[in-house]
Amino acid sequence: MTSTADRLAHQQEREQGIGTNEQAVKFSQQDYETLRQQCLESGRLFEDNCFPADRKSLGYNELGPYSSKTRGVVWKRPTELCSNPKFIDNGATRTDICQGALGDCWLLAAIASLTLDHQILARVVPPGQNFTEDYAGIFHFQFWQFGEWVDVVVDDCLPTKDGKLLFVHSAEGSEFWSALLEKAYAKVNGCYEALAGGNTIEGFEDFTGGIAEIYTLDKAPPELFQIIKKALSLGSLMGCSIDITSAYETEAVTALKLVKGHAYSVTGAEEVHYRGQLVQLVRIRNPWGQVEWTGPWSDGSREWNYISEDEKSNLNHVAEDGEFWMSYSDFIKQFSKLEICNLTPDTLMGNNVGHWNHYQFEGMWRIGSTAGGCRNNPATFTSNPQFVVCLDDVDDDPLDGEDGCTFLVGLMQKDGRQQRRLDRDLETIGFAIYKVPDEYKGSSNIHLGPDVLLRQRAVAMSSSFINTREVCNRFKLPPGEYAIVPSTFYPHKNGSFILRVFSEKQAATSRLEEEIDAKIEEEEISESDVDPHFKRLFKQIAGSDMEVSVFELVEILNNVVSHRSDIKTDGFSLETGRLIVSLMDTDESARLGLMEFHKLWSKIEKYLEIFKTHDTDNSGTMSSHEMRGAATKAGFHINSAVLQAIVSRYADAQYAIDFDSFVSCLIKLEMLFKMFKALERDDSGKIELNLQQWLCLAIY
């Protein structure tokens, strides 16, 4: 219950704009300015208890407390490592990022690309931090994490071995912004070891909030060089790598000094005049700060002798700094994969660049309610969360000459790196896109069922279902309305996700979700309309006072259901009995009279009919995935959040709902709807309670 309350509070914060880069969430509720001021007033340097300078912050296995790799590690502040430490010296550059003993080249390649645009860098590395003016041993950075920006504070104690930084460092050794940035990112992910191994795209996205595309270079589209040039002009971040076929090839150096299984960043793309023809060149950076390509167009190669001095001076920087040029044709032969991170409109400040339109939604898969798995699981597939995108306007100047609407869909699962120390793997995720039938167009207050989704083929799908942090694909479809259904490959898998849509033209997007509502129909009858046989039976049960107590009610209900072989039940509990009495007891006698009992009996007969209809396998119980449809039949329209709460409260360990739980749930729903309507003012959709009123209602 408290976690649900926390989630609702978080949603309210998001609605108020908290989580943007301008109003970042305080990670671990630590406020940089408050902590810094406290340190300055006390005259003590900041020590971060949330990410302490000890072995736990290093790792859990390879860098765990008992690993030989962590022996002799001493945490030191920059002021203990050099006489004049600088946070940033003469601007942040790519040479400030040299890899240490941690396998996070993917992250460092992303940081290197970040230095190409100082406006983007300033979003991640807030300016004005230094080791001189009001130095307090505290620094802060901002990262995009699963749909929101977080502000992360760290102390400046850094792991060292033999007097040198153990992990990332600058070439000069006196500049510390990159080492502190790496530490803050390790804190967000739990420890330094959680950063080992990864995809440059992940770093790109967490530094920009952008969305990533991946191109396999042996299947490169013919216009890819133009895509690279345009992406660089838009400030997009790019990385590339060479696939390995076995673990033995990791960081193996080829004959031409390219490193396999290693993350590089793409930092430039130009065309030069070479012997009377235009040659396309790509600039690459190795985050090691050394080990460079030695083939054509490498530093000092003979190709540079055949271009003009102007072009040569603009492009050729001969230095062993890890950065080099190569021809585009060699690039797509030598490298396996290119990753492009497309930026959100708020990242791109200039008016002279094109912007994507950006939309995002948070969602959850929960066992028993919304974890339906892929289309291979028709019984549960349609219970997955659903989202709609309305594409009205076709692209300007389409590359292929055909009209259509270009958009990107990215599905990202949360908290994969934090789960590593628990030895949990990422789920296999993907999505399918369906055309919304004409009769449902323009409606967002619906949830498409089997009658819609299982009777048509998907018009598009993610390229694969895969166990990565994010699955992202580019699509081009005719104008229309489309439903996106994100899912895990297998059903019954818990998970939280972010779904993002980047469209070339503006598009209306929303969650496809039923509007919460109730249509409770009760037949109005008088005592004279009650069947005489029912009256006699009631008198036998109730006795001379003609009223049934909660204890008698539970006994009656259990006696009835115990004689039925077609339904399974653990029996009605006293709690359920009290719930029923409180709903049906119109005269507040805490007992049920003839008419109250008659109304109850009519409800139970109706609920029994619905229950048996949805018990499709005649097991005597109902699958929790059927609860949405059953509730609708009973007059209650519920959304996924309410469905999840129902399953948590009423389903058994196998996510089945027996008859007494079904009745209890519907009675509770009716009571809650009636209570809300009684307290609501002017159809506002909101109620206001003081603490006493809330406690009395909640306990009741």
Side-chain angles (χ1 to χ4, degrees):
M1 180 69 81
T2 53
S3 61
T4 302
D6 289 342
R7 180 163 48 81
L8 294 174
H10 180 66
Q11 289 173 358
Q12 291 174 344
E13 288 179 347
R14 294 291 293 275
E15 290 168 5
Q16 295 164 6
I18 296 173
T20 61
N21 189 250
E22 294 75 23
Q23 295 186 67
V25 174
K26 308 299 181 187
F27 189 76
S28 295
Q29 299 182 322
Q30 292 176 299
D31 182 73
Y32 169 71
E33 288 295 346
T34 302
L35 293 170
R36 181 168 168 269
Q37 200 57 43
Q38 288 172 354
C39 291
L40 291 172
E41 289 172 3
S42 66
R44 299 183 62 172
L45 296 179
F46 177 61
E47 293 182 13
D48 186 6
N49 294 326
C50 294
F51 196 64
D54 61 26
R55 289 185 172 188
K56 285 188 299 184
S57 298
L58 291 176
Y60 48 88
N61 186 16
E62 290 284 317
L63 295 175
Y66 306 107
S67 169
S68 60
K69 294 182 180 179
T70 59
R71 285 194 202 123
V73 171
V74 179
W75 294 77
K76 291 187 176 184
R77 297 185 189 267
T79 50
E80 300 173 86
L81 293 170
C82 64
S83 59
N84 185 25
K86 301 285 179 62
F87 184 67
I88 295 178
D89 188 16
N90 293 323
T93 64
R94 300 183 293 284
T95 58
D96 299 340
I97 306 139
C98 298
Q99 189 172 353
L102 185 62
D104 61 349
C105 59
W106 62 274
L107 175 64
L108 308 189
I111 298 174
S113 292
L114 196 62
T115 64
L116 296 175
D117 189 318
H118 284 216
Q119 283 186 321
I120 297 176
L121 180 71
R123 289 160 62 91
V124 178
V125 185
Q129 304 186 78
N130 57 65
F131 288 95
T132 52
E133 185 181 346
D134 290 334
Y135 166 68
I138 183 171
F139 295 85
H140 70 131
F141 302 87
Q142 294 196 352
F143 306 117
W144 184 88
Q145 289 286 282
F146 310 111
E148 66 184 13
W149 285 87
V150 295
D151 190 87
V152 186
V153 305
V154 288
D155 62 33
D156 61 352
C157 296
L158 296 166
T160 71
K161 213 168 189 179
D162 302 323
K164 295 181 180 178
L165 287 179
L166 185 60
F167 302 131
V168 73
H169 53 279
S170 69
E172 294 81 11
S174 59
E175 201 168 0
F176 290 92
W177 73 270
S178 58
L180 292 166
L181 172 62
E182 181 188 48
K183 179 175 182 177
Y185 198 67
K187 177 178 177 177
V188 163
N189 287 285
C191 62
Y192 277 96
E193 187 174 349
L195 306 184
N199 192 312
T200 307
I201 280 299
E202 189 175 338
F204 286 165
E205 291 183 327
D206 287 354
F207 295 150
T208 66
I211 195 168
E213 294 180 88
I214 298 178
Y215 290 93
T216 303
L217 294 179
D218 62 1
K219 300 173 184 173
E223 69 280 4
L224 184 59
F225 181 76
Q226 283 71 31
I227 290 174
I228 293 171
K229 282 196 74 170
K230 184 177 180 182
L232 285 167
S233 71
L234 292 174
S236 300
L237 305 182
M238 279 182 277
C240 58
S241 59
I242 303 171
D243 289 344
I244 58 173
T245 55
S246 71
Y248 297 107
E249 286 192 307
T250 304
E251 297 195 345
V253 180
T254 68
L256 295 173
K257 293 295 183 72
L258 294 177
V259 185
K260 292 186 176 183
H262 183 60
Y264 290 81
S265 42
V266 178
T267 61
E270 299 290 345
E271 291 180 298
V272 296
H273 295 86
Y274 173 74
R275 290 184 164 181
Q277 59 182 352
L278 275 178
V279 175
Q280 297 170 335
L281 300 181
V282 179
R283 188 174 63 202
I284 315 291
R285 171 159 171 80
N286 182 345
W288 286 350
Q290 55 187 355
V291 186
E292 298 182 10
W293 159 255
T294 58
W297 298 101
S298 60
D299 291 357
S301 70
R302 61 186 179 85
E303 284 78 15
W304 294 104
N305 298 328
Y306 297 97
I307 68 170
S308 71
E309 286 301 319
D310 285 345
E311 288 182 320
K312 187 175 179 179
S313 61
N314 286 338
L315 302 182
N316 191 23
H317 178 64
V318 181
E320 182 65 15
D321 59 359
E323 194 163 65
F324 54 87
W325 291 92
M326 65 193 307
S327 70
Y328 172 71
S329 57
D330 277 333
F331 170 69
I332 61 173
K333 286 175 191 169
Q334 298 290 334
F335 285 89
S336 311
K337 187 167 54 180
L338 171 71
E339 303 152 335
I340 301 178
C341 182
N342 301 283
L343 302 183
T344 55
D346 66 313
T347 311
L348 301 166
M349 306 301 178
N351 295 321
N352 59 338
V353 294
H355 294 162
W356 289 97
N357 296 284
H358 167 230
Y359 314 92
Q360 73 176 30
F361 301 93
E362 290 189 77
M364 292 191 294
W365 297 296
R366 287 293 177 264
I367 299 174
S369 56
T370 57
C374 71
R375 177 68 181 262
N376 296 346
N377 308 279
T380 55
F381 172 66
T382 59
S383 62
N384 283 301
Q386 301 173 6
F387 305 86
V388 67
V389 55
C390 304
L391 304 171
D392 294 325
D393 300 319
V394 297
D395 303 342
D396 297 327
D397 303 319
L399 288 173
D400 58 7
E402 295 184 11
D403 284 344
C405 307
T406 296
F407 64 107
L408 307 174
V409 178
L411 173 63
M412 178 183 291
Q413 55 186 316
K414 291 186 175 183
D415 303 325
R417 290 190 179 274
Q418 291 90 328
Q419 301 290 334
R420 282 186 177 185
R421 66 167 67 233
L422 304 175
D423 204 25
R424 291 179 185 165
D425 294 328
L426 290 166
E427 295 296 341
T428 302
I429 60 170
F431 56 86
I433 302 175
Y434 293 85
K435 191 167 178 54
V436 175
D438 290 344
E439 62 266 31
Y440 294 113
K441 281 184 177 177
S443 301
S444 59
N445 59 339
I446 55 168
H447 187 88
L448 300 177
D451 57 323
V452 176
L453 296 185
L454 298 185
R455 291 183 181 177
Q456 60 167 304
R457 293 175 63 87
V459 295
M461 297 188 72
S462 54
S463 55
S464 62
F465 275 75
I466 190 168
N467 60 337
T468 55
R469 183 173 88 148
E470 184 175 42
V471 174
C472 178
N473 289 107
R474 178 185 290 248
F475 302 99
K476 187 174 183 180
L477 292 175
E481 285 191 28
Y482 299 93
I484 305 172
V485 184
S487 71
T488 54
F489 184 76
Y490 297 104
H492 319 308
K493 300 286 186 181
N494 282 330
S496 298
F497 65 84
I498 297 288
L499 183 80
R500 296 186 293 163
V501 176
F502 279 49
S503 60
E504 193 156 300
K505 291 297 189 75
Q506 282 197 332
T509 61
S510 64
R511 198 182 299 268
L512 271 180
E513 193 62 271
E514 285 193 80
E515 191 173 327
I516 299 174
D517 192 18
K519 294 178 181 175
I520 303 163
E521 297 177 359
E522 292 182 325
E523 187 181 357
E524 291 296 327
I525 61 170
S526 63
E527 189 171 334
S528 60
D529 296 324
V530 177
D531 181 75
H533 179 63
F534 186 90
K535 282 184 182 178
R536 285 194 299 273
L537 286 175
F538 180 76
K539 188 172 184 179
Q540 290 174 13
I541 295 166
S544 58
D545 63 356
M546 289 293 284
E547 287 195 315
V548 173
S549 71
V550 64
F551 305 100
E552 291 168 325
L553 174 63
V554 170
E555 186 178 348
I556 294 163
L557 293 175
N558 285 335
N559 187 42
V560 170
V561 296
S562 66
H563 289 90
R564 298 193 67 118
S565 60
D566 56 344
I567 57 173
K568 286 186 180 176
T569 175
D570 293 330
F572 286 84
S573 66
L574 196 57
E575 180 187 354
T576 300
R578 287 193 168 114
L579 192 66
I580 292 171
V581 170
S582 60
L583 174 67
M584 308 304 299
D585 176 26
T586 53
D587 60 3
E588 298 190 40
S589 66
R591 302 165 75 87
L592 300 184
L594 171 64
M595 297 307 297
E596 294 164 337
F597 189 80
H598 188 273
K599 281 185 178 180
L600 169 63
W601 205 254
S602 297
K603 279 186 191 296
I604 290 177
E605 286 183 323
K606 175 185 173 184
Y607 293 166
L608 179 60
E609 183 181 343
I610 294 170
F611 183 85
K612 288 183 63 60
T613 301
H614 286 81
D615 175 17
T616 51
D617 61 355
N618 298 315
S619 64
T621 63
M622 187 177 71
S623 164
S624 60
H625 282 277
E626 296 280 3
M627 192 65 204
R628 189 195 296 263
T632 300
K633 193 73 175 173
F636 303 101
H637 294 276
I638 57 174
N639 64 14
S640 296
V642 176
L643 179 61
Q644 287 170 17
I646 287 172
V647 172
S648 297
R649 174 67 178 81
Y650 294 102
D652 64 17
Q654 284 71 47
Y655 295 93
I657 295 175
D658 60 16
F659 183 63
D660 59 284
S661 296
F662 181 67
V663 171
S664 179
C665 173
L666 296 184
I667 293 289
K668 186 70 175 280
L669 276 174
E670 183 174 340
M671 177 181 287
L672 290 172
F673 270 109
K674 287 182 173 178
M675 286 166 60
F676 188 91
K677 286 299 178 186
L679 294 165
E680 184 187 27
R681 294 287 178 265
D682 303 322
D683 291 325
S684 64
K686 296 179 181 179
I687 60 174
E688 186 174 324
L689 302 172
N690 63 31
L691 182 59
Q692 175 186 299
Q693 292 168 329
W694 159 247
L695 289 173
C696 289
L697 281 174
I699 290 171
Y700 186 68

